[in-house]
């Protein structure tokens, strides 16, 4: 099936995903501000929200906010008093994310921290019930190690973009693929987690998620 059909099928499933006006506005404002169109798809955002709900997550760590689109899905999944801490290196992205979160009425549920994630992570208080890793792929192994350090038994760690149109098999690969592969090696040798990786197609093309549960 063609990429066009993948996109049409995602549109068809829109009826159950139910992306609303605040989420659509977040994407529209992000595009208007010139941010790259690399947010999770509506179906993927809903999956993140359902995972958060199904584990009763109260504290969520996100690495890579962009315009806050995935952040909105995650924050909405939390009970009152729940918090998403999202880390974003680009102050312009963080500013757009804050505006999008405010429009969605989620200011009280989200803390947007600005800086390189590797500088911010050492000072963060854990544990987090769920971590979503979606920033520079070069640092994926370090991000996974931090997410694991900041976890408790039962915490879930999800990593976006682990397939990259199949380029994950390229050896040697580009710096991003090498970053994904270092993270996969780490997870393979890490007895404290049980993990899987799922290939996906859809409006974001051919890619995939890694999911790990902390023992
Ligand atoms: N999770 C978002 C998409 C994130 S795109 C969504 O689905 O809606 C990746 C983001 O990671 C970009 O905004 C980029 O600026 C940010 N990023 C890149 N390197 C980073 C770093 N070292 N620390 C924190 N954020 C980083
Ligand atoms: C890119 C980054 C992402 O996080 C993503 O989901 C898709 C593409 C990118 O940098 O090209
Ligand atoms: Mg991504």
């Amino acid at each position: 099936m063609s990429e066009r059909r993948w996109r049409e099928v995602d549109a068809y499933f829109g009826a159950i995903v139910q992306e609303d006006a605040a989420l659509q506005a977040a994407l529209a404002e992000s595009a208007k501000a010139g941010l790259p169109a690399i947010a999770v798809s509506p179906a993927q955002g809903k999956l993140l929200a359902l995972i958060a709900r199904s584990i009763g997550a109260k504290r969520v760590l996100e690495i890579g906010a962009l315009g806050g689109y995935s952040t909105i899905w995650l924050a909405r999944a939390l009970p009152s008093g729940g918090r998403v801490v999202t880390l974003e290196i680009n102050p312009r992205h963080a500013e757009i994310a804050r505006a999008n979160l405010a429009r969605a009425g989620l200011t009280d549920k989200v803390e947007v921290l600005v800086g390189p994630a590797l500088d911010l992570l050492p000072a963060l208080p854990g544990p987090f019930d769920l971590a979503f890793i979606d920033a520079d792929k070069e640092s994926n192994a370090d991000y996974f190690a931090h997410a694991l350090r900041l976890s408790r038994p039962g915490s879930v760690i999800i990593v976006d973009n682990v397939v990259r149109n199949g380029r994950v098999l390229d050896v040697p690969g580009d710096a991003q693929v090498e970053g994904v592969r270092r993270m996969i090696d780490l997870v393979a040798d890490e007895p404290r987690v049980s993990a899987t990786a799922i290939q996906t197609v859809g409006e974001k093309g051919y890619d995939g998620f890694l999911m790990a549960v902390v023992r």
Side-chain angles (χ1 to χ4, degrees), residues 38-40 64-66 69-70 87-89 93 115-117 134-136 143:
I38 56 175
V40 293
L66 191 63
Y69 182 81
S70 53
L87 313 182
E88 176 51 55
I89 197 172
H93 296 186
D134 190 22
D136 54 313
Y143 295 154

Side-chain angles (χ1 to χ4, degrees), residues 10-208:
D10 259 347
Y12 172 67
F13 289 143
I16 58 171
V17 169
Q18 294 172 350
E19 181 192 54
D20 70 1
L23 284 158
Q24 287 166 2
L27 285 188
E29 291 300 314
S30 298
K32 205 188 288 177
L35 271 52
I38 56 175
V40 293
S41 70
Q44 293 172 340
K46 182 78 173 273
L47 177 67
L48 294 174
L50 293 177
I51 290 168
R53 287 261 299 274
S54 66
I55 64 169
K58 294 184 180 65
R59 285 177 46 78
V60 175
L61 170 65
E62 178 178 69
I63 307 180
L66 191 63
Y69 182 81
S70 53
T71 322
I72 293 174
W73 280 109
L74 287 165
R76 283 177 168 175
L78 306 187
S80 73
R83 289 281 176 284
V84 179
V85 178
T86 186
L87 313 182
E88 176 51 55
I89 197 172
N90 187 318
R92 275 190 46 252
H93 296 186
E95 190 186 324
I96 304 296
R98 287 197 181 106
N100 286 332
L101 288 157
R103 190 181 313 97
L106 293 168
T107 301
D108 291 350
K109 277 201 153 84
V110 182
E111 218 180 323
V112 182
L113 302 182
V114 183
L118 288 176
D119 292 352
L120 298 168
L121 283 160
L124 282 190
F128 290 95
D129 307 307
L130 173 63
F132 178 49
I133 298 172
D134 190 22
D136 54 313
K137 316 308 171 194
E138 291 84 342
S139 297
N140 266 354
D142 293 321
Y143 295 154
F144 192 93
H146 276 288
L148 182 55
R149 179 181 61 77
L150 292 167
S151 71
R152 46 128 185 115
S155 291
V156 171
I157 302 171
I158 296 176
V159 186
D160 194 19
N161 311 118
V162 300
V163 176
R164 312 290 299 207
N165 205 29
R167 290 198 305 279
V168 66
L169 294 187
D170 292 354
V171 179
D174 62 24
Q176 299 191 341
V177 164
E178 292 296 328
V180 172
R181 293 182 63 94
R182 270 195 304 280
M183 184 270 301
I184 299 288
D185 288 347
L186 181 110
V187 173
D189 289 338
E190 177 49 77
R192 289 173 295 173
V193 302
S194 179
T196 189
I198 292 294
Q199 303 181 66
T200 59
V201 297
E203 64 175 62
K204 291 202 67 187
Y206 168 39
D207 213 323

